[in-house]
Amino acid sequence: MRTQVVIIGGGPAGLLLACKLFKKQIDFILIEQRTKEYVLSRIRAGVLETGTVNQLVDVGVGDRLKSEGQIHGGVYFSTSYDFFHINFRQLANKTITVYGQTEVTRDMYEALEAWGANLIFEAKGVDISGHQSPQPKVTYDNEGTRYEIKCDIVVGCDGFHGISKNKISVNAEHSYFAQLPIGWLGILSETPPLKDELIYSRSDRGFALASMRSDTLSRYYVQVPVTESPENWSDDRFWEELKLRFPVHISSELETGPSIEKSIAPLRTYVSKSMSEGRLLLCGDSAHIVPPTGAKGLNLAASDVYYAYEAIVEHVNNNNQTGLKNYSEKALKRVWKSMRFSWWMTHMLHLFPDSDRFTEKIMESELSQLRNSISMQKVLSENYTGLPY
Ligand code: FAS
Ligand code: PHB
């Protein structure tokens, strides 16, 4: 087989790039190792920046997002005893859209299948070769047959556990990785959200987040040790712990109910040394993992795709390699800004088992200063709603 672009990975990064290339009539094949049903079963992010929303609308997959997505003009923060609001509209003249990653992924799959795009599922043993030549190749197994695709460009959208990132020689030798000693135990419940907007809490017992997917579907998280297992947490135990992580006048409003999903996401940070080499580009979690505290993971995947798409169009339409050469530096600049923000939010809001009392007092003071400083709230608002591309 031959095509112009091979996309490895059918998560949000791969799908958004596929939608953009389809609209530009640039030929591509997307290969995904799992079934579509498996990809859609994963419950992940919930907050979209304006830039992400605009790209989805521009490629024509934003109708349900516009009708069902919730526009939020701010976010709440709390401790065990305090509660305050940060107004994005007032401080950054921007908003966020709350709409689940699962729905974003579903909308893009539906569109791509309706358009007749070339999507291959259950591709096993995927490999990339010749990416430092003008004729890279991708090979994979499907139903017992080995296939080879010749192409001009390969885009690795295959997530943290994918094969692409270490195909870039400098990444195999050096990247930035840290496994944090904490995880997020999350549940999805068919209950009304605790408040009209998200609540991030640094309680005396640890971090909690009250989020949502709609007026009748809520998403909650509590920090747990990274060694914890969801099986140790009955619904009753989860709800009791969650209540203890918000001020009483807030948690007294909590409506509980059966969980329809329960999982633990480990918190880690990873940034690849380079997001490209020759004709191979990386987008999304294949290139970086940010702690979910800043709601940046999915949104960084979108800005990577924005830059990668520009570089691909320049190459395909004008045979100009400048965009390909500059892609990594350009994308990493925004990645590190989002990593800084996510790292800051994570350390301000979580209790780390190995941190000393002095550091804990500094982080308490950080949150207290955020509560009282409009300029700090302005910086948070600019970062949370999405820095410019
Ligand atoms: P993804 O990991 O979503 O997709 C990669 C795709 O590539 C997968 O479908 C995988 O099957 C496929 N693949 C892997 N190897 C392959 C191979 N060799 N061949 C073919 N296909 C291959 N972000 C937030 O902002 N908020 C959150 O609350 C949040 N929670 C998360 C919870 C978990 C458990 C995880 C893992 C991530 C979470 N994230 C969160 C981050 C998440 O939303 C990612 O940023 C987002 O999925 C990035 O999308 P992709 O880069 O497309 O990667
Ligand atoms: C979510 O709704 O899943 C969510 C929201 C904000 C975050 C992380 C996850 O920072």
Side-chain angles (χ1 to χ4, degrees), residues 259-280:
S259 62
I260 56 175
E261 192 270 352
K262 193 182 290 172
S263 57
I264 291 183
L267 266 59
R268 55 169 75 103
T269 61
Y270 168 78
V271 182
S272 51
K273 183 79 174 161
S274 176
M275 291 177 61
S276 71
E277 184 174 66
R279 295 296 181 88
L280 172 60

Side-chain angles (χ1 to χ4, degrees), residues 60-172:
V61 299
D63 292 349
R64 201 158 68 95
L65 162 60
K66 283 190 292 188
S67 63
E68 294 177 21
Q70 293 187 349
I71 307 288
H72 286 195
V75 69
Y76 296 100
F77 283 84
S78 74
T79 65
S80 296
Y81 322 96
D82 192 10
F83 189 75
F84 64 98
H85 184 256
I86 292 184
N87 189 326
F88 300 152
R89 282 197 177 92
Q90 200 173 61
L91 297 167
N93 193 26
K94 287 175 79 174
T95 57
I96 54 167
T97 301
V98 173
Y99 186 71
Q101 172 174 323
T102 307
E103 305 319 312
V104 175
T105 309
R106 191 191 318 280
D107 294 342
M108 291 195 281
Y109 268 125
E110 278 178 12
L112 286 163
E113 288 176 339
W115 299 339
N118 197 341
L119 311 175
I120 292 165
F121 295 101
E122 297 184 275
K124 303 299 180 194
V126 176
D127 198 12
I128 305 166
S129 59
H131 71 273
Q132 302 208 56
S133 79
Q135 280 280 337
K137 281 188 292 194
V138 174
T139 50
Y140 67 92
D141 296 323
N142 196 243
E143 293 173 355
T145 304
R146 186 106 187 122
Y147 294 89
E148 175 183 282
I149 312 173
K150 291 189 172 69
C151 58
D152 300 326
I153 293 171
V154 182
V155 188
C157 301
D158 47 352
F160 183 66
H161 301 291
I163 59 141
S164 301
K165 63 175 175 291
N166 288 329
K167 284 288 179 184
I168 296 177
S169 41
V170 70
N171 290 345

Side-chain angles (χ1 to χ4, degrees), residues 4 26 47 75 79 92 105 119 121 138 170 178 193 201 213 260 262 266 324-325 358 364 377 383 387:
Q4 289 175 294
I26 291 177
V47 170
V75 69
T79 65
T105 309
L119 311 175
F121 295 101
V138 174
V170 70
S201 183
R213 293 292 178 268
I260 56 175
K262 193 182 290 172
L324 292 180
K325 289 191 176 70
F358 173 80
E364 281 172 26
Q377 291 183 15
N383 279 273
L387 296 174

Side-chain angles (χ1 to χ4, degrees), residues 8-14 31-34 39 42-47 101 123 126 157-163 184 221 264-266 283-286 292 295-299 301:
I8 302 176
I31 55 177
E32 163 58 48
Q33 68 176 359
R34 302 282 190 171
V39 176
R42 296 184 306 221
I43 306 293
R44 288 188 174 166
V47 170
Q101 172 174 323
V126 176
C157 301
D158 47 352
F160 183 66
H161 301 291
I163 59 141
W184 280 15
Y221 298 94
I264 291 183
C283 289
D285 278 17
S286 66
K296 291 299 157 209
L298 174 55
N299 294 297

